Amino acid sequence: MTRLKGRWRSAVVLLATVLSVGVAARLGLWQLDRAAQKEALQVAQQARSGLPPLDASSLARHVEAAAAQHHRPVRLQGQWLAERTVYLDNRQMKGRPGFYVVTPLRLQGGDDAVLVQRGWVPRDMQERTRVPPVVTPTGVVEVLGRIAPPPSRLYEFAGQEAGPIRQNLDIGEFAREAAVSLRPLSVLQTDSGDSKGTAGDGLLREWPQPAADVHKHYGYAFQWFALGALMTGLYVWFQLVRPRLRTRPDPGA
């Protein structure tokens, strides 16, 4: 009876070890797969950034097509809808709190527009609700930049989606509010150096590069594989090696 219980106990320990090692190995492989996916995405982003600039006629009109254009350079002409400028709060650049200045650009030759993340300005530390002055050229301007998803969302309390200072900006809702047709993407404006472009507008445009976090996934994969190896080693020691050492006859007896 005691021997039977011992066999059952050994079988249960073996099964638990096999399942645990299998789960750890599967999670490790999943992390490696996530790393490979992000590396492929990074390569695609770099390839897109090296393509010729798109013009207004080539900009995506649907969400699915817009995702395929992210990180592509663009060269657009149009007029700023300055009265629709929004300041996205709690945005940082170089570790300093401030606003992202977002203005719709009505595309030349059409009735639709695109949201342009024009740059960053610091917050007025004395008066939180005071927006800094931003020079917005009139007439037709040329905007250089790269296509990006809509501005990232931050946590907010209900009822904050109004006024010039906002926490977030939803393209669909903002299009209805501003009574303008907006493309399902945004543009991160880059410095152009000309007087009717970005020179003298006081905006900082050191946009952060998209982070792939590939090394994080490799680190997680190593941890899972190491855990599987540890469980295997513990099983071999306690279930195979140690019992044999106990039953081995003492040479000095």
Side-chain angles (χ1 to χ4, degrees), residues 172-192:
E173 294 178 2
F174 186 67
R176 289 188 289 271
E177 175 189 332
V180 62
S181 176
L182 289 172
R183 302 290 179 95
L185 47 81
S186 71
V187 171
L188 294 179
Q189 188 177 14
T190 55
D191 292 317
S192 61

Side-chain angles (χ1 to χ4, degrees), residues 9-26 224 227-240:
R9 188 181 298 110
S10 298
V12 169
V13 172
L14 175 60
L15 179 61
T17 302
V18 170
L19 290 176
S20 300
V21 172
V23 170
R26 182 66 187 89
W224 284 117
L227 180 61
L230 176 61
M231 289 187 291
T232 302
L234 291 175
Y235 176 83
V236 170
W237 172 254
F238 285 104
Q239 298 297 316
L240 301 178

Side-chain angles (χ1 to χ4, degrees), residues 25-35 37 217 224-225:
R26 182 66 187 89
L27 290 173
L29 291 174
W30 176 69
Q31 289 293 340
L32 290 179
D33 183 62
R34 289 286 294 154
Q37 291 177 12
H217 293 288
W224 284 117
F225 290 141

Side-chain angles (χ1 to χ4, degrees), residues 27-28 66-67 95 110 124 126 151 156 208 215 247:
L27 290 173
D124 187 328
Q126 302 298 323
E156 65 178 343
H215 297 293
T247 58

